[in-house]
């Protein structure tokens, strides 16, 4: 009796175990199906990556199967089958490059129809013959002395500018040289504002070129804009909320804008100014003719002062104290800080 009871209990236990196992299996299957349906719309997650790897593996396996056991001649035939597709892709790239080239040179070809001056034509022809845009610009610039047709200069400069901007192979220095020469061409054509714009583009590409500042100086001198001080810091003309002034031959500019343009840190407390850039420090007091540069005492010809709520400091003194190069171009009243 005890044995039959034990058998009954064992049978009951096995039934419960099978039932529990069946329920667990069904649950796992349902969860797997639901998870697959939930993940499918994402597409580019791990499932998509796995699918992509699988497809690439299948393609590689297909290629291996094609070459496996094949003779050398058969393998060469398989490679030749790929060549038309490779050639097609190459032609597409070439066509795209050709369309860009045609866009660049179309304006040059049109300009040649309206330009008679042999020097102007030579400059445009240089581009069509495959020489670099920078070289073509230089060829045009070097003949400016004897080139007096302003209309033709404008036509050529315009086409060369567009070609230079479309030339993706030109680096920053090449662009700076090109814009600089084009600026000189526009000065000869009497277009001072356009020349200034191109020269400022040249500065943004190569802010350390002193020759660009010299040409800009000529632009400002020709438009007789000598009363206002023009300040360029690291190739850019910052906007001052209080205009720079000249006092006893020294240019004073707002402290905060100068420091920010140079990337210097400023501490201003109780009329005492501390300016730091890298390992250089300048300390001065508003209204005082004494200052410190890297801890060494220096006398100021013009002290810092407050104008319209802004502290103005001597530009050259601060710039050189922070190891920057400061040049003043008197003709156009221009200051360059690098």
């Amino acid at each position: 009796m005890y044995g039959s009871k034990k058998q009954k209990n064992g049978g009951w236990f096995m039934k419960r175990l099978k039932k529990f196992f069946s329920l667990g299996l069904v649950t796992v299957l349902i969860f797997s199906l639901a998870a697959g349906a939930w993940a499918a719309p994402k597409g580019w997650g791990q499932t998509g990556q796995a699918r992509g790897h699988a497809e690439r593996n299948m393609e590689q396996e297909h290629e291996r199967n094609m070459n496996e056991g094949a003779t050398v001649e058969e393998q060469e035939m398989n490679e030749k089958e790929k060549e038309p597709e490779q050639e097609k892709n190459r032609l597409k790239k070439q066509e795209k490059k050709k369309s860009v080239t045609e866009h660049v040179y179309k304006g040059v070809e049109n300009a040649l129809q309206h330009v008679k001056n042999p020097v102007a034509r030579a400059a445009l022809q240089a581009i069509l013959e495959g020489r670099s845009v920078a070289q073509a610009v230089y060829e045009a610039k070097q003949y400016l002395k004897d080139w007096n047709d302003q209309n033709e200069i404008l036509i050529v400069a315009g086409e060369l500018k567009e070609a230079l901007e479309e030339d993706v192979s030109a680096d920053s220095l090449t662009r700076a040289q090109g814009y600089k020469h084009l600026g000189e061409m526009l000065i000869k054509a009497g277009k001072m504002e356009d020349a200034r714009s191109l020269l400022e583009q040249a500065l943004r590409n190569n802010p350390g070129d002193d020759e660009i500042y010299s040409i800009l100086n000529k632009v400002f001198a020709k438009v007789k804009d000598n009363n206002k001080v023009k300040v360029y810091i690291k190739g850019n003309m910052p906007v001052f909320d209080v205009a720079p002034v000249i006092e006893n031959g020294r240019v004073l500019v707002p402290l905060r804008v100068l420091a920010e343009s140079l990337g210097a840190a400023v501490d201003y407390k109780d009329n005492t100014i501390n300016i730091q850039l890298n390992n250089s420090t300048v300390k001065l007091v508003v209204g005082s003719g004494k200052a410190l540069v890297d801890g060494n005492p220096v006398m100021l010809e013009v002290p810092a002062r407050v104008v319209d709520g802004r502290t103005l400091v001597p530009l050259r003194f601060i710039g050189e104290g922070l190891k920057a190069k400061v040049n003043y171009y008197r003709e156009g009243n221009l200051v360059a800080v690098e």
Side-chain angles (χ1 to χ4, degrees):
M1 187 174 177
Y2 177 79
S4 61
K5 186 177 181 181
K6 185 176 181 181
Q7 288 175 353
K8 287 181 181 179
N9 289 337
W12 174 83
F13 177 77
M14 289 300 295
K15 288 180 181 179
R16 292 295 301 270
L17 182 62
K18 288 180 181 179
K19 185 176 181 180
F20 178 79
F21 178 79
S22 299
L23 288 172
L25 181 62
V26 170
T27 302
V28 169
L29 288 172
I30 293 173
F31 179 79
S32 300
L33 292 172
W38 174 77
K42 293 185 178 180
W44 295 108
Q46 294 179 350
T47 304
Q49 291 176 359
R51 188 185 302 115
H53 289 310
E55 290 174 353
R56 284 192 293 272
N57 290 335
M58 289 177 65
E59 290 175 0
Q60 292 172 0
E61 183 66 25
H62 176 67
E63 290 182 5
R64 283 196 296 269
N65 290 336
M66 288 181 65
N67 290 327
E68 188 175 352
T71 64
V72 174
E73 291 79 4
E74 289 174 337
Q75 291 182 18
E76 288 178 352
M77 288 182 65
N78 291 337
E79 290 297 323
K80 285 182 179 179
E81 288 178 0
K82 298 178 186 177
E83 289 178 1
E85 187 65 27
Q86 294 173 348
E87 180 65 15
K88 186 177 179 182
N89 292 334
R90 187 185 68 80
L91 290 174
K92 282 183 179 179
K93 292 180 181 178
Q94 190 176 27
E95 187 65 28
K96 185 177 180 180
K97 183 177 180 181
K98 182 180 177 183
S99 65
V100 173
T101 304
E102 287 177 349
H103 173 70
V104 172
Y105 295 159
K106 184 177 180 181
V108 177
E109 292 175 342
N110 291 337
L112 277 170
Q113 299 176 11
H114 304 285
V115 173
K116 297 179 181 179
N117 184 287
V119 176
R121 293 185 64 83
L124 294 173
Q125 196 68 36
I127 299 179
L128 296 180
E129 291 174 359
R131 280 173 278 172
S132 70
V133 176
Q135 184 179 352
V137 173
Y138 178 76
E139 288 184 16
K141 180 255 177 182
Q142 66 179 335
Y143 292 108
L144 275 180
K145 184 177 179 181
D146 302 316
W147 191 4
N148 297 312
D149 190 324
Q150 293 186 341
N151 187 52
E152 285 193 347
I153 294 174
L154 284 175
I155 291 174
V156 174
E159 296 305 332
L160 291 177
K161 175 179 178 291
E162 183 177 352
L164 180 63
E165 290 174 345
E166 292 280 357
D167 186 1
V168 295
S169 66
D171 58 18
S172 294
L173 291 178
T174 301
R175 291 187 186 282
Q177 287 294 104
Y179 286 130
K180 178 170 65 177
H181 295 327
L182 288 170
E184 291 182 278
M185 292 174 67
L186 291 179
I187 291 174
K188 185 68 181 285
K191 298 294 184 180
M192 299 304 161
E193 283 302 317
D194 293 334
R196 173 184 171 179
S197 176
L198 285 176
L199 291 168
E200 288 178 342
Q201 287 189 61
L203 279 178
R204 284 190 285 274
N205 282 275
N206 186 20
D209 190 340
D210 292 340
E211 188 181 4
I212 301 175
Y213 291 113
S214 296
I215 302 170
L216 260 175
N217 179 49
K218 295 177 183 178
V219 171
F220 290 121
K222 284 183 178 292
V223 297
K224 302 188 183 305
D225 186 13
N226 298 338
N227 295 326
K228 180 181 176 182
V229 182
K230 279 73 66 178
V231 178
Y232 287 87
I233 302 176
K234 297 170 70 172
N236 295 298
M237 180 181 278
V239 177
F240 296 109
D241 48 4
V242 174
V245 298
I246 297 179
E247 185 176 325
N248 294 334
R250 295 289 180 265
V251 176
L252 284 83
V253 299
L255 165 65
R256 187 68 60 179
V257 177
L258 172 62
E260 289 176 354
S261 299
L262 287 172
V266 178
D267 180 42
Y268 192 161
K269 186 177 181 181
D270 297 331
N271 286 334
T272 299
I273 304 166
N274 284 285
I275 310 170
Q276 183 172 355
L277 179 62
N278 299 325
N279 296 322
S280 301
T281 58
V282 175
K283 182 178 181 178
L284 64 163
V285 179
V286 175
S288 174
K290 296 180 181 180
L292 294 175
V293 177
D294 296 333
N296 301 312
V298 179
M299 296 301 296
L300 293 173
E301 295 184 18
V302 179
R305 59 191 178 92
V306 177
V307 176
D308 295 335
R310 293 290 181 267
T311 301
L312 271 61
V313 294
L315 174 58
R316 182 179 291 278
F317 172 74
I318 299 296
E320 293 180 346
L322 296 176
K323 306 299 186 291
K325 181 176 69 174
V326 182
N327 288 327
Y328 176 64
Y329 300 86
R330 187 177 303 277
E331 191 179 9
N333 208 7
L334 183 152
V335 184
V337 183
E338 290 298 331

